[in-house]
Amino acid sequence: MAKLSDKKKRWIKNEAKDFSFLLPSLVIFIIIIIIPLISGIRYTFTDWNGMSKNINYVGLKNYFTVFQDKDLLLPIRNTAIFTLVTMVLINALGLGLAMMVEKEFKGVNVIKSIVFIPLIVSLVLVSYMWMYVYSDFFGMLGWPSPLISKKTVLLGLCAMAIWKEVGLAMMIYLAALKGVSSDYYEAATIDGAGFWAKFKNITIPMIAPAFTYCIPLWLAGGLRMYDYSYVATQGGPSHASESMAYYIYQYLFPFNKVGYGQTVAVLYLIFCIILSNVITRMLRRREIEL
């Protein structure tokens, strides 16, 4: 057997050193994510209630039940509406605010702070704060709380998420805008281009990587929405704000139907991964074209 060269030995030593830094995170990831995921997949073939020592295997029964479960349609609808509304408005408002605060003016840092501060507040606290706003402040104005109506409850939850997350979107888009050279805008101005022409032909193409990051970020955030639905409304009224994550939680814990809950969770995870990858690939392809 040929001996390893000194260069090869140094390469192996460096790789081992780099891997040693990664190892703790990898172990934690395997323990917290991979092992529970594998166990969860196994439970999809059972009718386990989460507490019994006896686990009965039922084959593909849970999977057939999922596709026949009409109760799933409402959580799917609610999650789709919440995701679409929050993803579009957070990105649109974040970009608009970023364009507004890009130019230096008196009080700009105060505006940035006011918009960004909600991001550091926990989701649970945000839910309680907005429950107070909807019940007390809206009440003083004579307006009903949107959380008590089936027609407006999702919009109420969307407002919570937008208020909390728009600051992060603003900072990401602001960083992207700072990287766009002013020479492009000056040349466009000389050519007689207006605001919309500059925005469409310069701003959008130049900050395309920011869109590639932000859109999948809040797509994933909407798809996994749980806290607002749980804390503020408990999925009500009449399941009008019940998200897919909250639906899965109910079957896993209060209903003690772990087998079925895990089946819904696994199928939903597969759907989310596919959708996120498709959207990300489309945005990256568009980024290259621009």
Side-chain angles (χ1 to χ4, degrees):
M1 181 181 295
K3 293 184 178 179
L4 293 175
S5 64
D6 292 339
K7 184 177 180 180
K8 187 69 172 180
K9 289 179 179 179
R10 285 195 300 271
W11 180 84
I12 294 175
K13 184 178 180 180
N14 290 332
E15 289 295 314
K17 186 186 298 182
D18 293 341
F19 182 75
S20 67
F21 289 104
L22 177 64
L23 187 60
S25 299
L26 181 62
V27 171
I28 294 173
F29 178 77
I30 292 173
I31 294 174
I32 295 178
I33 303 296
I34 301 300
I35 294 177
L37 177 62
I38 295 173
S39 299
I41 294 174
R42 180 170 68 92
Y43 292 139
T44 64
F45 301 103
T46 72
D47 61 356
W48 188 44
N49 61 11
M51 295 183 293
S52 175
K53 293 182 179 180
N54 298 322
I55 300 179
N56 299 318
Y57 286 87
V58 295
L60 297 174
K61 179 182 177 181
N62 289 324
Y63 289 91
F64 292 128
T65 303
V66 169
F67 292 103
Q68 298 172 0
D69 187 359
K70 294 182 179 180
D71 292 338
L72 261 175
L73 297 178
L74 189 55
I76 291 173
R77 169 188 168 275
N78 294 339
T79 303
I81 293 174
F82 180 88
T83 302
L84 182 62
V85 171
T86 54
M87 181 179 66
V88 171
L89 291 183
I90 288 173
N91 281 281
L93 292 174
L95 178 57
L97 288 168
M99 294 177 67
M100 183 181 75
V101 302
E102 182 189 10
K103 306 298 183 182
E104 294 296 330
F105 58 88
K106 188 176 182 180
V108 65
N109 291 328
V110 175
I111 295 175
K112 291 179 185 178
S113 300
I114 291 173
V115 176
F116 188 77
I117 282 176
L119 185 67
I120 66 176
V121 182
S122 71
L123 290 171
V124 174
L125 184 56
V126 167
S127 299
Y128 280 115
M129 289 171 58
W130 276 87
M131 286 169 64
Y132 169 79
V133 170
Y134 287 145
S135 62
D136 292 11
F137 183 72
F138 275 39
M140 288 189 295
L141 297 176
W143 300 341
S145 170
L147 301 182
I148 64 176
S149 172
K150 292 192 293 184
K151 295 181 179 180
T152 59
V153 64
L154 277 179
L155 295 179
L157 297 183
C158 288
M160 297 180 187
I162 292 168
W163 177 79
K164 175 176 172 53
E165 302 287 340
V166 73
L168 177 59
M170 178 191 70
M171 299 306 294
I172 294 173
Y173 285 120
L174 180 60
L177 289 171
K178 290 292 186 181
V180 181
S181 175
S182 60
D183 294 342
Y184 296 113
Y185 296 105
E186 292 173 0
T189 301
I190 294 173
D191 291 338
F195 171 81
W196 176 249
K198 295 177 185 177
F199 179 76
K200 179 181 177 181
N201 299 306
I202 299 176
T203 304
I204 295 297
M206 295 301 291
I207 66 170
F211 288 112
T212 304
Y213 177 81
C214 287
I215 292 176
L217 176 64
W218 278 287
L219 171 68
L223 292 174
R224 68 172 185 266
M225 190 273 285
Y226 166 79
D227 304 75
Y228 301 120
S229 182
Y230 176 77
V231 177
T233 63
Q234 292 286 304
S238 301
H239 305 281
S241 63
E242 186 177 53
S243 65
M244 282 298 297
Y246 185 70
Y247 182 87
I248 292 168
Y249 160 79
Q250 285 185 304
Y251 273 93
L252 290 177
F253 297 102
F255 298 166
N256 291 328
K257 294 183 178 180
V258 174
Y260 182 73
Q262 279 295 135
T263 304
V264 178
V266 168
L267 291 175
Y268 188 56
L269 174 63
I270 294 172
F271 167 77
C272 291
I273 291 173
I274 294 174
L275 179 62
S276 298
N277 282 333
V278 169
I279 296 297
T280 302
R281 286 178 181 273
M282 289 174 58
L283 290 169
R284 285 177 178 170
R285 190 180 303 118
R286 180 63 177 166
E287 181 182 332
I288 295 172
E289 291 174 358
L290 291 172

